[in-house]
Amino acid sequence: MMTALWESDSFVDENTLSVNVNRLRRKLEAAGLPDFIRTRKGAGYLVEEPS
């Protein structure tokens, strides 16, 4: 995900991704999509379709 979002030579800290995912989660929750992005330990993030 980091490579796809930040296609530059500048260093991007893993914390940058975490902060942005958390911001996106809050916006999605406000839009009625809680748990749309889940964290899968050891694999990364998982986007789930709303049921």
Side-chain angles (χ1 to χ4, degrees), residues 31-48:
L33 294 169
D35 302 325
F36 186 76
I37 301 175
R38 294 184 179 242
T39 303
R40 180 168 285 170
K41 200 170 200 166
Y45 297 104
L46 175 68
V47 175
E48 296 191 342

Side-chain angles (χ1 to χ4, degrees), residues 2-34:
M2 288 177 66
T3 304
L5 294 174
W6 288 280
E7 293 181 354
S8 69
D9 292 338
S10 64
F11 176 75
V12 177
D13 191 323
E14 288 184 29
N15 189 48
T16 302
L17 179 60
S18 298
V19 168
N20 283 290
V21 168
N22 283 327
R23 288 178 181 164
L24 181 56
R25 282 180 171 154
R26 278 183 264 153
K27 290 181 180 191
L28 289 167
E29 186 173 347
L33 294 169

